[in-house]
Coordinates of all heavy atoms in Angstrom, one line a residue:
A873 N 112.7 118.2 92.8 CA 112.2 116.9 93.3 C 112.4 115.8 92.3 O 112.8 114.7 92.7 CB 110.7 117.0 93.6
S889 N 121.4 97.4 96.5 CA 120.1 97.0 97.0 C 119.2 96.7 95.8 O 119.6 96.7 94.6 CB 119.5 98.1 97.9 OG 118.3 97.6 98.5
G898 N 114.3 117.2 100.3 CA 115.2 118.2 100.9 C 116.6 117.9 100.7 O 117.5 118.7 101.1
S915 N 103.0 105.3 116.5 CA 103.5 104.9 117.8 C 102.5 104.8 118.9 O 102.7 104.1 119.9 CB 104.6 105.9 118.3 OG 104.0 107.2 118.5
G916 N 101.3 105.4 118.7 CA 100.2 105.3 119.7 C 99.4 104.1 119.5 O 98.5 103.9 120.4
S934 N 107.6 83.9 118.7 CA 108.8 84.6 118.1 C 108.8 86.1 118.3 O 109.8 86.8 118.5 CB 109.0 84.3 116.6 OG 108.0 85.0 115.8
D964 N 103.9 102.7 107.0 CA 103.1 103.1 108.2 C 102.1 102.0 108.5 O 101.9 101.6 109.6 CB 102.4 104.4 107.9 CG 103.3 105.6 108.1 OD1 104.4 105.4 108.8 OD2 102.9 106.7 107.7
G966 N 102.1 98.8 107.6 CA 102.8 97.6 108.1 C 103.2 97.7 109.5 O 103.1 96.8 110.3
P977 N 108.2 94.4 113.6 CA 108.4 94.1 112.2 C 109.9 94.2 111.8 O 110.6 95.1 112.2 CB 107.6 95.3 111.6 CG 107.7 96.4 112.6 CD 107.7 95.7 113.9
F984 N 110.5 94.5 93.5 CA 109.1 94.3 93.3 C 108.8 92.9 92.8 O 108.0 92.1 93.3 CB 108.4 95.4 92.4 CG 107.0 95.2 92.2 CD1 106.0 95.7 93.0 CD2 106.5 94.4 91.1 CE1 104.6 95.6 92.8 CE2 105.2 94.2 90.8 CZ 104.2 94.8 91.7
E985 N 109.4 92.6 91.7 CA 109.1 91.3 91.0 C 109.7 90.1 91.7 O 109.3 89.0 91.4 CB 109.7 91.4 89.5 CG 111.2 91.5 89.4 CD 111.6 93.0 89.4 OE1 110.9 93.9 89.8 OE2 112.7 93.2 88.8
I987 N 109.4 89.7 95.2 CA 108.7 89.5 96.5 C 107.7 88.4 96.4 O 107.7 87.5 97.3 CB 108.0 90.8 96.9 CG1 109.1 91.8 97.3 CG2 107.2 90.5 98.2 CD1 108.6 93.2 97.7
T1000 N 104.9 93.7 100.7 CA 104.2 94.9 100.4 C 104.9 95.6 99.2 O 106.0 95.4 98.9 CB 104.3 96.0 101.6 OG1 105.7 96.4 101.8 CG2 103.7 95.4 102.9
I1013 N 98.7 83.3 95.7 CA 99.0 84.2 96.8 C 97.8 84.5 97.5 O 96.7 84.7 97.0 CB 99.6 85.6 96.2 CG1 101.0 85.3 95.5 CG2 99.8 86.6 97.3 CD1 102.1 84.9 96.4
Y1018 N 94.0 96.4 102.1 CA 94.1 97.6 103.0 C 94.0 98.9 102.2 O 93.9 100.0 102.8 CB 95.5 97.6 103.7 CG 96.7 97.7 102.9 CD1 97.2 98.9 102.4 CD2 97.4 96.5 102.5 CE1 98.4 98.9 101.6 CE2 98.5 96.5 101.7 CZ 99.0 97.7 101.3 OH 100.2 97.7 100.5
R1028 N 103.4 113.6 79.1 CA 104.0 115.0 79.1 C 102.9 116.0 78.7 O 101.9 115.6 78.1 CB 105.1 115.0 78.1 CG 106.3 114.2 78.5 CD 107.5 114.4 77.6 NE 107.1 114.2 76.2 CZ 107.1 113.0 75.6 NH1 107.5 111.9 76.3 NH2 106.8 112.9 74.3
T1037 N 90.3 105.6 77.7 CA 89.2 104.7 78.1 C 89.3 103.4 77.5 O 88.6 102.4 77.9 CB 87.9 105.4 77.8 OG1 87.8 105.6 76.4 CG2 87.7 106.7 78.6
C1043 N 97.6 102.9 70.6 CA 98.2 102.3 69.4 C 99.2 103.2 68.7 O 98.8 104.4 68.5 CB 97.1 101.8 68.4 SG 96.0 100.5 69.0
T1053 N 104.5 94.0 86.9 CA 103.3 94.6 87.4 C 102.1 94.2 86.7 O 102.1 93.7 85.6 CB 103.4 96.1 87.4 OG1 103.6 96.6 86.0 CG2 104.7 96.6 88.2
L1082 N 110.6 102.7 89.2 CA 109.7 103.8 88.8 C 110.5 105.1 88.5 O 110.0 105.9 87.6 CB 108.6 104.1 89.8 CG 107.5 103.0 89.9 CD1 106.6 103.3 91.1 CD2 106.7 103.0 88.6
G1092 N 111.5 111.6 76.6 CA 110.9 111.4 75.3 C 111.1 109.9 74.8 O 110.7 109.7 73.6
Q1110 N 105.5 116.5 91.7 CA 106.9 116.7 91.9 C 107.7 117.1 90.7 O 108.8 117.4 90.8 CB 107.5 115.4 92.5 CG 106.6 114.7 93.5 CD 106.3 115.5 94.7 OE1 107.1 116.2 95.3 NE2 105.0 115.5 95.1
F1120 N 92.1 104.3 85.1 CA 91.7 103.4 84.0 C 90.9 102.2 84.7 O 89.9 101.8 84.2 CB 92.9 102.9 83.3 CG 92.6 101.9 82.1 CD1 92.0 102.4 81.0 CD2 92.9 100.6 82.2 CE1 91.6 101.5 80.0 CE2 92.6 99.7 81.2 CZ 92.0 100.2 80.0
V1125 N 94.2 96.6 96.9 CA 95.6 96.4 97.2 C 95.7 95.7 98.5 O 95.0 96.1 99.5 CB 96.3 97.8 97.2 CG1 97.8 97.6 97.7 CG2 96.3 98.4 95.8
F1129 N 100.8 87.2 101.0 CA 101.3 86.1 101.8 C 101.4 84.8 101.0 O 100.7 84.7 99.9 CB 100.3 85.8 103.0 CG 100.0 86.9 103.9 CD1 99.0 87.9 103.5 CD2 100.6 87.1 105.1 CE1 98.7 88.9 104.4 CE2 100.3 88.1 105.9 CZ 99.3 89.1 105.6
I1171 N 90.0 89.1 102.9 CA 91.0 88.1 102.6 C 90.8 87.6 101.2 O 89.7 87.0 100.9 CB 91.0 86.9 103.5 CG1 91.4 87.4 105.0 CG2 92.0 85.9 103.1 CD1 91.3 86.3 106.0

Side-chain angles (χ1 to χ4, degrees):
S889 188
S915 64
S934 73
D964 279 347
F984 177 90
E985 61 269 26
I987 293 177
T1000 65
I1013 298 292
Y1018 60 87
R1028 294 187 303 275
T1037 57
C1043 297
T1053 60
L1082 286 174
Q1110 319 303 313
F1120 183 70
V1125 171
F1129 304 84
I1171 296 176

